[in-house]
């Protein structure tokens, strides 16, 4: 039951992580940037609307210059809040962690007309996102968790019971260099106990298309010299 609960928690966040954001830190710590929602942004102006309403035009994302707001064409299932982050594309883990393609939200509201989109996002500061991310899609990373890491310790006591712990760390920001956080600088939550062994492995280029990664997790739980080993894997969509 302990191992199964850990599987459910980890795989849910792996499946929703920003593409290419998963990275190993040794073989007992893995980091990712889970998302809560996403959508499609306007890629060109609404020329008909702009001609009639030049003082209140459509807001569209142009990657050739900094933009402070854009119209969202799709509806949110979980509406983002001020302080959450917009991430556009991610061909390299370095981008989202360094903030190259990430910008904080200042406000979210309605556009001047429903014909322009479902909502309008205003960024905390004008941002120019990298060229090459013109797919028209974005994801939302909640400020309440930011980047997330799973880290495990291992060991057994004199009675043959595992003393290791699998811990989820969040709310520690975004580190350009991969550094596994600790309870001293992050919000920590215990995911599994009684670990006698634990390891993570990750292949970012699984499959012929080179767009699907694969994370494998092995957990060994031991109590009074009786052990159960669980190995599970999760495919990762690395196509931004």
């Amino acid at each position: 039951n302990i191992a199964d609960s850990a599987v459910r928690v980890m795989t849910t966040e792996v499946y929703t992580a920003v593409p290419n954001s998963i990275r190993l830190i040794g073989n007992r710590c893995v980091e990712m940037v889970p998302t809560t929602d996403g959508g499609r942004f306007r890629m060109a102006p609404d020329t008909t609307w702009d001609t009639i309403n030049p003082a209140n035009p459509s807001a569209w994302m142009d990657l050739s210059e900094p933009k402070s707001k854009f119209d969202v064409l799709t509806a949110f299932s979980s509406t983002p809040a001020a302080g959450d982050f917009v991430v556009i594309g991610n061909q390299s883990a370095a981008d989202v962690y360094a903030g190259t393609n990430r910008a904080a939200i200042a406000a979210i509201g309605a556009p001047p007309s429903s014909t322009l989109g479902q909502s309008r996002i205003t960024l905390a500061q004008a941002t120019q996102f990298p060229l090459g991310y013109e797919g028209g899609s974005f994801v939302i990373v909640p400020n309440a968790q930011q980047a997330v890491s799973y880290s495990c310790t291992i060991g057994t006591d004199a009675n043959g019971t595992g003393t290791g712990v699998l811990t989820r760390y969040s709310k520690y920001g975004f580190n350009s260099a991969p550094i596994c956080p600790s309870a001293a600088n992050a919000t920590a939550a215990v995911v599994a106990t009684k670990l006698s062994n634990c390891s993570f492995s990750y292949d970012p280029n699984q499959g012929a298309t080179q767009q699907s990664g694969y994370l494998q997790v092995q957990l060994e739980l031991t109590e009074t010299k009786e052990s159960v080993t669980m190995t599970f894997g999760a495919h990762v969509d690395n196509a931004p």
Side-chain angles (χ1 to χ4, degrees), residues 18-22 63 87-97 100-102 130-135 202 204-205 210-211 237-240:
V18 172
N20 298 300
S21 68
I22 294 177
L63 302 186
V87 176
I88 296 179
N90 197 57
Q91 296 175 3
S92 166
D95 289 349
V96 66
Y97 288 106
T100 304
N101 60 337
R102 170 172 47 84
L131 293 173
Y133 291 162
E134 291 92 349
Y202 178 58
N205 296 310
Q210 303 294 294
Q211 293 181 335
D237 184 4
N238 279 336

Side-chain angles (χ1 to χ4, degrees), residues 41-45 59-70 88 127-131 133-134:
F41 57 79
R42 175 174 290 282
M43 299 176 64
W60 55 289
M61 181 60 70
D62 181 359
L63 302 186
S64 67
E65 62 181 10
K67 288 288 186 177
S68 60
K69 57 186 176 182
F70 61 91
I88 296 179
T127 303
Q128 182 172 353
F129 291 89
L131 293 173
Y133 291 162
E134 291 92 349

Side-chain angles (χ1 to χ4, degrees), residues 200-238:
F200 304 133
S201 61
Y202 178 58
D203 182 352
N205 296 310
Q206 186 80 8
T209 64
Q210 303 294 294
Q211 293 181 335
S212 177
Y214 187 74
L215 175 69
Q216 181 172 292
V217 179
Q218 183 171 4
L219 304 176
E220 182 179 19
L221 288 81
T222 303
E223 186 171 21
T224 57
K225 300 181 181 180
E226 294 187 2
S227 299
V228 59
T229 299
M230 176 176 284
T231 300
F232 67 94
H235 287 278
V236 184
D237 184 4
N238 279 336

Side-chain angles (χ1 to χ4, degrees), residues 137-158:
S137 63
F138 68 94
V139 292
I140 298 294
V141 175
N143 184 47
Q145 67 181 18
Q146 303 168 5
V148 168
S149 292
Y150 287 87
S151 177
C152 56
T153 58
I154 62 173
T156 53
D157 62 18

Side-chain angles (χ1 to χ4, degrees), residues 69-137:
K69 57 186 176 182
F70 61 91
D71 292 330
V72 180
L73 303 179
T74 51
F76 288 112
S77 58
S78 177
T79 304
D84 290 348
F85 299 91
V86 168
V87 176
I88 296 179
N90 197 57
Q91 296 175 3
S92 166
D95 289 349
V96 66
Y97 288 106
T100 304
N101 60 337
R102 170 172 47 84
I105 297 174
I108 180 169
S113 170
S114 60
T115 63
L116 298 179
Q118 298 290 326
S119 55
R120 175 170 289 184
I121 288 179
T122 301
L123 302 176
Q125 63 181 33
T127 303
Q128 182 172 353
F129 291 89
L131 293 173
Y133 291 162
E134 291 92 349
S137 63

Side-chain angles (χ1 to χ4, degrees), residues 56 163 210:
N56 201 4
T163 57
Q210 303 294 294

